[in-house]
Amino acid sequence: MGEITLNKVCRIAGEAKLVLYEEDGTVQDALFIATAPIRGFEKLAVGKNPLFAVEAVMRICGLCHASHGIAMSEAIENAIGITPPRNGILMREALGLVNRIQSHMLEFLMVAGDLLIEEKREEVLFQLMDFHAKISDYLLKMGGAATHPPNLTVGGMFSIPKWSVFNNLKARLPGLMEQWDGIAHLLTDEDIQTEIAEELREKRAENEYLTSSLFYGDRFNINVEKIETMPYYEYRKEHQHSKESTTLIAFYGKEKVEAGPRARMKVYREFKDSSLYGIHTARVQDTTLALMRLEEILDSIKMDEPFRTKNIVFGPGKGVGVYEAPRGTLIHFIELGDEGRVVSSKIIVPTMFNIPVMEEMAKGLSVKAAEAVMRLYDPCIPCTTHVVRLGG
């Protein structure tokens, strides 16, 4: 077999290399090796105030920021036995949905080069960028910033928008949903798609799926005791290239599982498309449903009621926070000591589940289509880097 090494996989979130083993132009095996440096956010949180931990984990990633903030807040609240008021949970969910839509827009930008013919690509790219800017304004107004929203905290929300600003967001949303309908049509129009898109449409594979909720996340819908992690270089130890990896990978019940938009659509919406292209159409549907749910939330929030639990006391405890991030099920574990400070923190991200699936899905494809599969799963490398190999 011949070996093809792409030292820098382009149009993904972070640094990674892709090693493909092919025979007669067909991929027989694939290694997706994340090479981003370790930054140690889990260790950074140790000894710190839980409120700082929420702020810190949002800096793990410029794409999954609110998702990490929500999962960490949920874990801390579970540890100390509090629940935010209804408004706080709704506003938190709204921030997470906006974050999901933001992230999906960027992924559609990334895969446009694989799926859309060159003649129509620029038109779609500009529409996606315009939509991304408009939806990001919702996070700015509700969360306090277009990324890493500072209003998100333990117990609910630090601050909320003025009544006039909130009503303006509600009034603008129908127009935004109409704009998205036009973009969604272009993203799934087979008349303007490439040969790679057709190849992905023909390749079918049934996977096991992991998801906890269609929109928010629910720790009671998964069994966190069934999650196992291991360094990637141990998983693919027969390959010399695996020693370069800085990631952990995860299994659920000792099985490979796919997390993300298609998992949510398969489990909660009876989504039927098991082709690799179905990952793309599932993400389009995920975006549509997120906008619809956002509209429901904005209609449900009562601005004259509280948005945060009062008189929060931090003390010892262990907690788990589960949230459906753009790329799939995100899990935060937290332990607080006697003074309420962080004793330990562990984060399991969707890409840790998806890397083994991505490699499996590349088999049997052309080299170009195999590279496109990596982008379809939208790996987030900064979230996934957890290990440093010393020596050897």
Side-chain angles (χ1 to χ4, degrees), residues 71-100:
M72 176 61 85
S73 296
E74 288 278 333
I76 294 168
E77 289 157 3
N78 179 224
I80 62 178
I82 68 167
T83 302
R86 179 175 178 273
N87 269 352
I89 293 175
L90 287 173
M91 187 66 83
R92 180 183 289 176
E93 183 180 354
L95 298 185
L97 290 170
V98 172
N99 183 198
R100 181 184 295 186

Side-chain angles (χ1 to χ4, degrees), residues 290-303:
L291 284 164
M292 293 171 65
R293 176 58 183 156
L294 180 60
E295 185 176 45
E296 291 178 351
I297 291 172
L298 296 186
D299 286 337
S300 300
I301 289 174
K302 299 179 180 179
M303 297 297 288

Side-chain angles (χ1 to χ4, degrees), residues 201-220:
R201 196 176 283 109
E202 292 176 356
K203 173 70 181 294
R204 298 185 177 275
E206 283 291 349
N207 296 315
E208 296 295 322
Y209 298 99
L210 177 66
T211 181
S212 68
S213 172
L214 185 58
F215 295 118
Y216 191 74
D218 190 337
R219 66 179 182 274
F220 297 107

Side-chain angles (χ1 to χ4, degrees), residues 224-274:
V224 296
E225 299 296 326
K226 294 174 69 173
I227 298 172
E228 298 178 7
T229 63
M230 66 186 299
Y232 179 86
Y233 57 74
E234 290 184 6
Y235 173 61
R236 302 301 304 265
K237 58 187 176 184
E238 74 277 14
H239 292 279
Q240 185 71 17
H241 291 288
S242 67
K243 294 181 179 180
E244 301 175 52
S245 174
T246 55
T247 62
L248 292 174
I249 56 169
F251 301 93
Y252 187 76
K254 301 186 183 300
E255 300 291 334
K256 299 175 186 177
V257 290
E258 178 181 321
R262 183 162 64 176
R264 292 191 282 264
M265 296 301 108
K266 282 276 190 178
V267 173
Y268 295 108
R269 298 290 292 184
E270 298 184 352
F271 185 76
K272 301 299 183 183
D273 192 346
S274 297

Side-chain angles (χ1 to χ4, degrees), residues 344-356:
S344 67
S345 171
K346 182 179 180 180
I347 304 170
I348 297 175
V349 304
T351 299
M352 290 165 61
F353 293 107
N354 281 338
I355 286 176

